[in-house]
Amino acid sequence: MANSLPEIESGFPTTPSLATDPPPTSRRRTQLQSLFDRRKELTKEEKDAILKTISLSYFTTVVITAIFSFIILFGDRLLHCHVRFSVESISVSPSSTTWHVDFLVNNPSSRCPIYYDGDGVYAKLGSLYAAVLKTSHKRRSHGRTSFSVDLATEGNQSDVVAAFPSVFELGMKLSAKKKKLFVEGYYYGYFDIRCQNLTPGYEKIKCHSSFKKLKDCCEIY
């Protein structure tokens, strides 16, 4: 009819390529299916290219799996508690068998909190076990903490002094914990501290220290 109105299309125009192109996953699946269907017709170069792609994908998967497995199994061992201890001074009371030791603690962190209270401190002076009488600690500056401990050994003063050579060793254990990797919680344990070549007086001696899990030991001393 002459008076008929033109047909009006509603909606937005759609780009033909966007409307007809399959998603990338579908395209890859189609390509693989096409290669499989004509596998007998493939040239040597095409077969080598396919084999190279498959080998590379397999190698990448193995490497990524190995990396994640290594991190999960050994990540906690690689993340050390970098806390260092050194003796600033050590003195013995002339009238008793009481020893006073001042430590400097470097790099204490919230990832490896240390318990400085007397209940979590164990000590040994040379070959003698020592009772912990008193402990105190104070933050000196960022990354540095002062720690002091009073120790008592058994026996009278003259016997104790005579038993010590000109230099001796101090062994201490401080209760601590270490934050776990990737999961919430802590490993409970202690810092094993060994200070060698000590003499009563004021001199800074660096100590050997390491964090040990509580389950890895049978006893404190």
Side-chain angles (χ1 to χ4, degrees):
M1 296 177 64
N3 296 329
S4 62
L5 297 175
E7 182 178 356
I8 300 176
E9 295 183 0
S10 60
F12 294 95
T14 303
T15 303
S17 60
L18 294 178
T20 58
D21 286 352
T25 304
S26 298
R27 288 202 302 270
R28 285 195 295 270
R29 187 181 299 111
T30 302
Q31 292 171 355
L32 291 175
Q33 183 65 41
S34 176
L35 289 173
F36 180 80
D37 292 340
R38 64 184 189 90
R39 59 188 181 279
K40 295 182 179 180
E41 305 173 5
L42 295 176
T43 64
K44 183 178 183 303
E45 289 76 12
E46 290 176 324
K47 292 180 179 179
D48 291 340
I50 294 174
L51 182 61
K52 183 178 180 181
T53 302
I54 295 175
S55 300
L56 182 60
S57 301
Y58 177 77
F59 178 76
T60 303
T61 302
V62 171
V63 170
I64 294 175
T65 303
I67 291 174
F68 275 98
S69 299
F70 181 83
I71 292 175
I72 293 174
L73 293 175
F74 301 102
D76 287 313
R77 298 183 182 181
L78 296 176
L79 297 178
H80 297 291
C81 296
H82 298 285
V83 183
R84 301 191 304 272
F85 296 82
S86 58
V87 174
E88 292 196 307
S89 68
I90 182 169
S91 59
V92 58
S93 172
S95 59
S96 64
T97 55
T98 302
W99 300 73
H100 180 83
V101 187
D102 292 318
F103 288 91
L104 176 62
V105 185
N106 286 286
N107 297 328
S109 67
S110 58
R111 196 171 64 84
C112 300
I114 303 172
Y115 299 99
Y116 297 98
D117 57 287
D119 293 336
V121 180
Y122 304 86
K124 192 175 183 182
L125 279 162
S127 60
L128 300 177
Y129 292 95
V132 178
L133 302 178
K134 179 183 177 182
T135 63
S136 63
H137 70 282
K138 181 179 180 181
R139 181 177 178 181
R140 184 180 296 184
S141 62
H142 180 70
R144 303 177 75 191
T145 297
S146 296
F147 169 58
S148 298
V149 57
D150 290 335
L151 306 172
T153 51
E154 296 181 354
N156 58 62
Q157 175 68 6
S158 59
D159 292 339
V160 171
V161 174
F164 276 87
S166 57
V167 294
F168 57 93
E169 176 180 316
L170 169 63
M172 293 195 65
K173 297 186 187 294
L174 296 182
S175 296
K177 58 185 182 180
K178 176 183 176 182
K179 188 172 179 59
K180 294 182 178 180
L181 186 66
F182 299 130
V183 295
E184 294 293 331
Y186 289 87
Y187 295 111
Y188 290 89
Y190 61 90
F191 276 99
D192 187 11
I193 308 166
R194 301 289 173 178
C195 309
Q196 298 176 328
N197 300 324
L198 294 177
T199 57
Y202 294 86
E203 58 178 320
K204 184 174 291 186
I205 299 294
K206 292 183 179 180
C207 306
H208 301 280
S209 61
S210 61
F211 177 84
K212 295 184 178 181
K213 296 179 184 179
L214 199 58
K215 67 178 182 180
D216 293 338
C217 68
C218 300
E219 56 185 7
I220 296 298
Y221 269 125

